[in-house]
Amino acid sequence: MPLPTRAGLDAVPAYRQGRSAPVGASKLSSNESPHPPLPSVAQAVRDRLDGIHRYPDMSAAALRERLAARYGVDAAEVTVGAGSVEIASQLIHAVAGEGDEVVFAWRSFEAYPSLVRIAGATPVPVPLDADHGHDLEAMLAAITPHTRLIFVCNPNNPTGTVVGADELERFVAAVPHDVLVVVDEAYVHFDRTESHGAGIELFRRHPHVAVLHTFSKAYGLAGLRIGYAIAPVEVAENQRKVAVPFGVTDLAQAAALASLDAEDELATRIDEVVVQRDRLYTVLTAAGWPAVRSQANFVWVPAGERTAELESVLQAGGVIARAFAGEGIRISSGSTVDIDRVAAALATLRVEVDA
Ligand SMILES: *Cc1c(COP(=O)(O)O)cnc(C)c1O
């Protein structure tokens, strides 16, 4: 007799992690911070090690209060999860189930379609526009009586494009109030346009907006798994019901609090990543690749048919990036050394092409 399986699971692709890199290579496949943890953050984690025989504070009260104060919202509107991918899952489970639809742009964050299917709901991907950005008009047109949630990934992973604050506001105002708009701002810290921070402002002004933030990318805590949402209190209450109990460890909560204490230091690091990101764009375009200007910590190269070629050239130069077969490559902005390597790898190809 076959083992039991849940109906519909064969339609769910397993999450594909960014490729691991051989020792000494530049791992630019998962949009991680190129910096090791700040000494103060590592110390805060060490200080809590002696308590790991206890369960963590499930409500993450200290962190939620801290975040509430930082953004001028109520602690009841803040929810935490084991990375913002868990928060995205909580939000979907809190508002959508069998027969409901969840709209998002495509290509966007790889986890959206699987998370929607796992909740029993139906993913409704809406193609990006010709400039690799969200096509908000098409997304509005995709809303049906079954729509419960819309993701706007801003800046978008993997293309790095942003929706301007005014444009996003018009979109939110046009979405019916019984549909939750989730602005996924995993990369907001790297956004140097006026849309930086737009999500929180929309949350303040509209009843049907939630904002997702993470400590994984700009704050460099990808390995500890902690992210949060600022959401309408009714939604936040339902998120707590669907969350896996004790999903966020005490070490992660301590590291998040210590990171909030060190935001000035982290801001310097974020600025460095932004410099390398812009340099990465310049290096790619100078070598003739169709890179897209980015406001995140990576650059998208819609290389199409030449994707495999670009991937292997990078790999030969010791750079591991994230390739989407036949579509393009996303390269994370790493350290100066990492981007030097990208430049050197691209130069070898140019020589071969010219020869
Ligand atoms: C990386 C990422 C996340 C979440 O990362 P976590 O490590 O789970 O916090 C969420 N949204 C987008 C768009 C991302 O790229």
Side-chain angles (χ1 to χ4, degrees), residues 13-30:
Y15 189 85
R16 206 163 56 95
Q17 178 164 27
R19 292 186 45 207
S20 58
V23 178
S26 292
K27 184 176 186 294
L28 303 181
S29 54
S30 298

Side-chain angles (χ1 to χ4, degrees), residues 15 30-31 81-88 108-112 153-158 184-187 212-217 221-223 225-228 297-298 330:
Y15 189 85
S30 298
N31 301 340
S84 64
V85 70
E86 198 227 325
I87 297 278
S108 187
F109 186 35
E110 274 201 287
Y112 297 151
C153 188
N154 207 35
N156 188 46
N157 175 7
D184 184 344
E185 293 192 333
Y187 301 100
L212 268 185
H213 282 179
T214 178
F215 285 96
S216 294
K217 310 283 167 51
L221 296 183
R225 315 303 309 129
I226 184 157
Y228 60 96
N297 66 343
F298 51 80
R330 188 194 69 198

Side-chain angles (χ1 to χ4, degrees), residues 66-265:
R66 180 70 181 273
L67 290 166
R70 187 189 187 292
Y71 290 107
V73 301
D74 197 292
E77 296 167 323
V78 182
T79 53
V80 296
S84 64
V85 70
E86 198 227 325
I87 297 278
S89 172
Q90 288 177 13
L91 284 162
I92 295 167
H93 277 93
V95 305
E98 209 68 50
D100 296 330
E101 294 171 355
V102 176
V103 173
F104 47 82
W106 198 252
R107 180 171 284 280
S108 187
F109 186 35
E110 274 201 287
Y112 297 151
S114 332
L115 294 176
V116 172
R117 282 203 194 276
I118 291 163
T122 305
V124 180
V126 176
L128 295 170
D129 66 18
D131 297 324
H132 311 282
H134 280 67
D135 185 343
L136 293 181
E137 261 176 49
M139 290 176 78
L140 272 182
I143 297 174
T144 74
H146 302 291
T147 309
R148 294 289 173 271
L149 188 152
I150 304 175
F151 281 108
V152 178
C153 188
N154 207 35
N156 188 46
N157 175 7
T159 56
T161 52
V162 291
V163 176
D166 293 344
E167 203 190 339
L168 193 53
E169 175 112 40
R170 283 194 296 277
F171 174 76
V172 165
V175 172
H177 287 186
D178 60 354
V179 176
L180 184 69
V181 179
V182 176
V183 188
D184 184 344
E185 293 192 333
Y187 301 100
V188 69
H189 298 87
F190 307 103
D191 180 2
R192 294 292 179 264
T193 72
E194 42 73 48
S195 78
H196 184 117
I200 304 286
E201 291 312 311
L202 287 173
F203 168 81
R204 293 190 217 289
R205 284 200 291 271
H206 299 270
H208 59 318
V209 172
V211 185
L212 268 185
H213 282 179
T214 178
F215 285 96
S216 294
K217 310 283 167 51
Y219 289 71
L221 296 183
L224 270 179
R225 315 303 309 129
I226 184 157
Y228 60 96
I230 296 175
V233 69
E234 308 90 304
V235 174
E237 273 164 17
N238 285 332
Q239 280 180 258
R240 288 182 194 107
K241 290 183 193 167
V242 301
V244 174
F246 303 111
V248 180
T249 66
D250 185 54
L251 302 183
Q253 294 177 37
L257 279 164
S259 300
L260 293 171
D261 284 338
E263 283 198 301
D264 289 349
E265 236 177 311

